mmCIF file of all heavy atoms in Angstrom:
data_model
loop_
_atom_site.group_PDB
_atom_site.id
_atom_site.type_symbol
_atom_site.label_atom_id
_atom_site.label_comp_id
_atom_site.label_asym_id
_atom_site.label_seq_id
_atom_site.Cartn_x
_atom_site.Cartn_y
_atom_site.Cartn_z
ATOM 1 N N TRP A 38 -23.795 4.324 21.211
ATOM 2 C CA TRP A 38 -24.215 5.017 20.007
ATOM 3 C C TRP A 38 -23.406 4.554 18.819
ATOM 4 O O TRP A 38 -23.949 4.288 17.737
ATOM 5 C CB TRP A 38 -24.065 6.552 20.221
ATOM 6 C CG TRP A 38 -24.680 7.358 19.119
ATOM 7 C CD1 TRP A 38 -25.923 7.879 19.071
ATOM 8 C CD2 TRP A 38 -24.041 7.788 17.907
ATOM 9 N NE1 TRP A 38 -26.132 8.561 17.927
ATOM 10 C CE2 TRP A 38 -24.947 8.523 17.180
ATOM 11 C CE3 TRP A 38 -22.764 7.580 17.367
ATOM 12 C CZ2 TRP A 38 -24.698 9.080 15.922
ATOM 13 C CZ3 TRP A 38 -22.498 8.154 16.106
ATOM 14 C CH2 TRP A 38 -23.439 8.875 15.406
ATOM 15 N N ILE A 39 -22.053 4.454 19.000
ATOM 16 C CA ILE A 39 -21.178 4.084 17.902
ATOM 17 C C ILE A 39 -21.483 2.630 17.484
ATOM 18 O O ILE A 39 -21.587 2.323 16.303
ATOM 19 C CB ILE A 39 -19.709 4.267 18.308
ATOM 20 C CG1 ILE A 39 -19.409 5.776 18.478
ATOM 21 C CG2 ILE A 39 -18.789 3.661 17.253
ATOM 22 C CD1 ILE A 39 -18.063 6.045 19.108
ATOM 23 N N VAL A 40 -21.559 1.727 18.474
ATOM 24 C CA VAL A 40 -21.768 0.323 18.171
ATOM 25 C C VAL A 40 -23.128 0.116 17.464
ATOM 26 O O VAL A 40 -23.203 -0.636 16.497
ATOM 27 C CB VAL A 40 -21.702 -0.554 19.453
ATOM 28 C CG1 VAL A 40 -22.113 -2.004 19.177
ATOM 29 C CG2 VAL A 40 -20.275 -0.537 20.030
ATOM 30 N N GLU A 41 -24.173 0.789 17.943
ATOM 31 C CA GLU A 41 -25.490 0.640 17.346
ATOM 32 C C GLU A 41 -25.538 1.050 15.904
ATOM 33 O O GLU A 41 -26.164 0.403 15.081
ATOM 34 C CB GLU A 41 -26.485 1.490 18.161
ATOM 35 C CG GLU A 41 -27.936 1.385 17.654
ATOM 36 C CD GLU A 41 -28.870 2.223 18.456
ATOM 37 O OE1 GLU A 41 -28.817 2.132 19.735
ATOM 38 O OE2 GLU A 41 -29.646 2.982 17.860
ATOM 39 N N ARG A 42 -24.810 2.090 15.563
ATOM 40 C CA ARG A 42 -24.853 2.643 14.199
ATOM 41 C C ARG A 42 -23.800 2.054 13.269
ATOM 42 O O ARG A 42 -24.002 2.034 12.043
ATOM 43 C CB ARG A 42 -24.754 4.143 14.249
ATOM 44 C CG ARG A 42 -26.044 4.772 14.747
ATOM 45 C CD ARG A 42 -25.840 6.176 15.279
ATOM 46 N NE ARG A 42 -27.091 6.712 15.753
ATOM 47 C CZ ARG A 42 -27.652 6.460 16.942
ATOM 48 N NH1 ARG A 42 -27.075 5.614 17.751
ATOM 49 N NH2 ARG A 42 -28.756 7.038 17.268
ATOM 50 N N THR A 43 -22.668 1.616 13.817
ATOM 51 C CA THR A 43 -21.598 1.126 12.925
ATOM 52 C C THR A 43 -21.188 -0.309 13.164
ATOM 53 O O THR A 43 -20.555 -0.939 12.300
ATOM 54 C CB THR A 43 -20.355 2.023 13.069
ATOM 55 O OG1 THR A 43 -19.773 1.816 14.372
ATOM 56 C CG2 THR A 43 -20.649 3.480 12.826
ATOM 57 N N GLY A 44 -21.457 -0.794 14.358
ATOM 58 C CA GLY A 44 -20.973 -2.119 14.739
ATOM 59 C C GLY A 44 -19.516 -2.125 15.212
ATOM 60 O O GLY A 44 -18.999 -3.186 15.585
ATOM 61 N N ILE A 45 -18.893 -0.991 15.203
ATOM 62 C CA ILE A 45 -17.460 -0.896 15.550
ATOM 63 C C ILE A 45 -17.343 -0.774 17.069
ATOM 64 O O ILE A 45 -17.942 0.056 17.698
ATOM 65 C CB ILE A 45 -16.810 0.319 14.874
ATOM 66 C CG1 ILE A 45 -16.828 0.175 13.370
ATOM 67 C CG2 ILE A 45 -15.384 0.503 15.389
ATOM 68 C CD1 ILE A 45 -16.404 1.424 12.646
ATOM 69 N N ARG A 46 -16.549 -1.676 17.660
ATOM 70 C CA ARG A 46 -16.273 -1.632 19.113
ATOM 71 C C ARG A 46 -14.852 -1.122 19.380
ATOM 72 O O ARG A 46 -14.598 -0.583 20.447
ATOM 73 C CB ARG A 46 -16.455 -2.996 19.722
ATOM 74 C CG ARG A 46 -17.885 -3.508 19.633
ATOM 75 C CD ARG A 46 -18.079 -4.773 20.420
ATOM 76 N NE ARG A 46 -19.435 -5.241 20.303
ATOM 77 C CZ ARG A 46 -20.477 -4.759 20.956
ATOM 78 N NH1 ARG A 46 -20.318 -3.777 21.817
ATOM 79 N NH2 ARG A 46 -21.667 -5.245 20.788
ATOM 80 N N ALA A 47 -13.976 -1.325 18.419
ATOM 81 C CA ALA A 47 -12.582 -0.904 18.582
ATOM 82 C C ALA A 47 -11.950 -0.795 17.199
ATOM 83 O O ALA A 47 -12.466 -1.340 16.226
ATOM 84 C CB ALA A 47 -11.785 -1.859 19.428
ATOM 85 N N ARG A 48 -10.874 -0.031 17.109
ATOM 86 C CA ARG A 48 -10.150 0.053 15.831
ATOM 87 C C ARG A 48 -8.670 0.095 16.167
ATOM 88 O O ARG A 48 -8.257 0.368 17.282
ATOM 89 C CB ARG A 48 -10.568 1.291 15.037
ATOM 90 C CG ARG A 48 -10.095 2.605 15.607
ATOM 91 C CD ARG A 48 -11.090 3.555 16.257
ATOM 92 N NE ARG A 48 -12.435 3.667 15.844
ATOM 93 C CZ ARG A 48 -13.466 3.397 16.633
ATOM 94 N NH1 ARG A 48 -13.235 3.004 17.855
ATOM 95 N NH2 ARG A 48 -14.697 3.542 16.236
ATOM 96 N N HIS A 49 -7.858 -0.232 15.148
ATOM 97 C CA HIS A 49 -6.446 -0.144 15.268
ATOM 98 C C HIS A 49 -5.969 1.062 14.490
ATOM 99 O O HIS A 49 -6.331 1.210 13.341
ATOM 100 C CB HIS A 49 -5.761 -1.431 14.703
ATOM 101 C CG HIS A 49 -6.070 -2.655 15.500
ATOM 102 N ND1 HIS A 49 -5.111 -3.175 16.337
ATOM 103 C CD2 HIS A 49 -7.156 -3.416 15.650
ATOM 104 C CE1 HIS A 49 -5.621 -4.246 16.948
ATOM 105 N NE2 HIS A 49 -6.870 -4.406 16.537
ATOM 106 N N ILE A 50 -5.140 1.881 15.098
ATOM 107 C CA ILE A 50 -4.683 3.099 14.454
ATOM 108 C C ILE A 50 -3.166 2.989 14.189
ATOM 109 O O ILE A 50 -2.406 2.790 15.137
ATOM 110 C CB ILE A 50 -5.001 4.349 15.314
ATOM 111 C CG1 ILE A 50 -6.520 4.390 15.514
ATOM 112 C CG2 ILE A 50 -4.454 5.612 14.695
ATOM 113 C CD1 ILE A 50 -7.001 5.454 16.492
ATOM 114 N N ALA A 51 -2.794 3.120 12.979
ATOM 115 C CA ALA A 51 -1.380 3.045 12.600
ATOM 116 C C ALA A 51 -0.651 4.286 13.088
ATOM 117 O O ALA A 51 -1.198 5.376 13.046
ATOM 118 C CB ALA A 51 -1.225 2.933 11.094
ATOM 119 N N PRO A 52 0.561 4.110 13.573
ATOM 120 C CA PRO A 52 1.378 5.253 14.018
ATOM 121 C C PRO A 52 1.654 6.241 12.896
ATOM 122 O O PRO A 52 1.623 5.852 11.718
ATOM 123 C CB PRO A 52 2.675 4.622 14.499
ATOM 124 C CG PRO A 52 2.390 3.217 14.715
ATOM 125 C CD PRO A 52 1.289 2.845 13.773
ATOM 126 N N THR A 53 1.898 7.467 13.208
ATOM 127 C CA THR A 53 2.288 8.494 12.230
ATOM 128 C C THR A 53 3.491 7.964 11.437
ATOM 129 O O THR A 53 4.422 7.444 12.009
ATOM 130 C CB THR A 53 2.611 9.812 12.931
ATOM 131 O OG1 THR A 53 1.491 10.222 13.662
ATOM 132 C CG2 THR A 53 2.989 10.894 11.955
ATOM 133 N N GLY A 54 3.423 8.132 10.140
ATOM 134 C CA GLY A 54 4.532 7.716 9.293
ATOM 135 C C GLY A 54 4.448 6.312 8.782
ATOM 136 O O GLY A 54 5.224 5.894 7.943
ATOM 137 N N VAL A 55 3.465 5.548 9.251
ATOM 138 C CA VAL A 55 3.265 4.190 8.767
ATOM 139 C C VAL A 55 2.204 4.231 7.689
ATOM 140 O O VAL A 55 1.084 4.676 7.895
ATOM 141 C CB VAL A 55 2.808 3.231 9.904
ATOM 142 C CG1 VAL A 55 2.472 1.867 9.347
ATOM 143 C CG2 VAL A 55 3.875 3.132 10.981
ATOM 144 N N GLY A 56 2.572 3.795 6.493
ATOM 145 C CA GLY A 56 1.693 3.880 5.328
ATOM 146 C C GLY A 56 1.002 2.568 5.077
ATOM 147 O O GLY A 56 1.310 1.498 5.659
ATOM 148 N N ALA A 57 0.017 2.597 4.150
ATOM 149 C CA ALA A 57 -0.704 1.395 3.772
ATOM 150 C C ALA A 57 0.215 0.316 3.239
ATOM 151 O O ALA A 57 0.047 -0.864 3.471
ATOM 152 C CB ALA A 57 -1.760 1.717 2.734
ATOM 153 N N SER A 58 1.302 0.732 2.540
ATOM 154 C CA SER A 58 2.239 -0.197 2.003
ATOM 155 C C SER A 58 3.011 -0.928 3.102
ATOM 156 O O SER A 58 3.351 -2.107 3.017
ATOM 157 C CB SER A 58 3.227 0.455 1.047
ATOM 158 O OG SER A 58 3.943 1.481 1.695
ATOM 159 N N ASP A 59 3.256 -0.238 4.236
ATOM 160 C CA ASP A 59 3.942 -0.878 5.385
ATOM 161 C C ASP A 59 3.024 -1.934 5.996
ATOM 162 O O ASP A 59 3.506 -3.016 6.368
ATOM 163 C CB ASP A 59 4.259 0.191 6.443
ATOM 164 C CG ASP A 59 5.225 1.251 5.944
ATOM 165 O OD1 ASP A 59 6.211 0.863 5.285
ATOM 166 O OD2 ASP A 59 4.954 2.442 6.152
ATOM 167 N N LEU A 60 1.744 -1.649 6.081
ATOM 168 C CA LEU A 60 0.767 -2.633 6.580
ATOM 169 C C LEU A 60 0.656 -3.813 5.674
ATOM 170 O O LEU A 60 0.595 -4.966 6.100
ATOM 171 C CB LEU A 60 -0.600 -1.955 6.810
ATOM 172 C CG LEU A 60 -0.589 -0.717 7.755
ATOM 173 C CD1 LEU A 60 -1.977 -0.141 7.801
ATOM 174 C CD2 LEU A 60 -0.072 -1.042 9.100
ATOM 175 N N ALA A 61 0.640 -3.498 4.357
ATOM 176 C CA ALA A 61 0.562 -4.602 3.355
ATOM 177 C C ALA A 61 1.768 -5.527 3.441
ATOM 178 O O ALA A 61 1.639 -6.758 3.318
ATOM 179 C CB ALA A 61 0.423 -4.025 1.966
ATOM 180 N N LEU A 62 2.945 -4.934 3.629
ATOM 181 C CA LEU A 62 4.146 -5.737 3.738
ATOM 182 C C LEU A 62 4.055 -6.722 4.911
ATOM 183 O O LEU A 62 4.443 -7.876 4.817
ATOM 184 C CB LEU A 62 5.377 -4.838 3.882
ATOM 185 C CG LEU A 62 6.716 -5.538 3.950
ATOM 186 C CD1 LEU A 62 6.970 -6.366 2.691
ATOM 187 C CD2 LEU A 62 7.842 -4.513 4.143
ATOM 188 N N GLU A 63 3.561 -6.237 6.051
ATOM 189 C CA GLU A 63 3.363 -7.089 7.207
ATOM 190 C C GLU A 63 2.367 -8.227 6.925
ATOM 191 O O GLU A 63 2.515 -9.339 7.418
ATOM 192 C CB GLU A 63 2.898 -6.289 8.425
ATOM 193 C CG GLU A 63 3.910 -5.317 8.964
ATOM 194 C CD GLU A 63 5.099 -6.009 9.622
ATOM 195 O OE1 GLU A 63 4.963 -7.162 10.082
ATOM 196 O OE2 GLU A 63 6.167 -5.372 9.702
ATOM 197 N N ALA A 64 1.361 -7.938 6.126
ATOM 198 C CA ALA A 64 0.335 -8.959 5.814
ATOM 199 C C ALA A 64 0.826 -9.979 4.782
ATOM 200 O O ALA A 64 0.244 -11.043 4.671
ATOM 201 C CB ALA A 64 -0.919 -8.255 5.269
ATOM 202 N N CYS A 65 1.911 -9.660 4.057
ATOM 203 C CA CYS A 65 2.393 -10.580 3.044
ATOM 204 C C CYS A 65 2.947 -11.866 3.647
ATOM 205 O O CYS A 65 2.770 -12.917 3.026
ATOM 206 C CB CYS A 65 3.520 -9.904 2.243
ATOM 207 S SG CYS A 65 2.903 -8.696 1.049
ATOM 208 N N GLY A 66 3.562 -11.806 4.799
ATOM 209 C CA GLY A 66 4.138 -13.003 5.402
ATOM 210 C C GLY A 66 3.086 -14.044 5.625
ATOM 211 O O GLY A 66 3.260 -15.192 5.120
#
Side-chain angles (χ1 to χ4, degrees):
W38 189 92
I39 294 170
V40 172
E41 181 179 311
R42 286 160 180 80
T43 68
I45 297 171
R46 295 188 182 281
R48 72 253 327 119
H49 291 257
I50 300 173
T53 302
V55 174
S58 59
D59 299 314
L60 303 177
L62 182 60
E63 292 291 336
C65 285

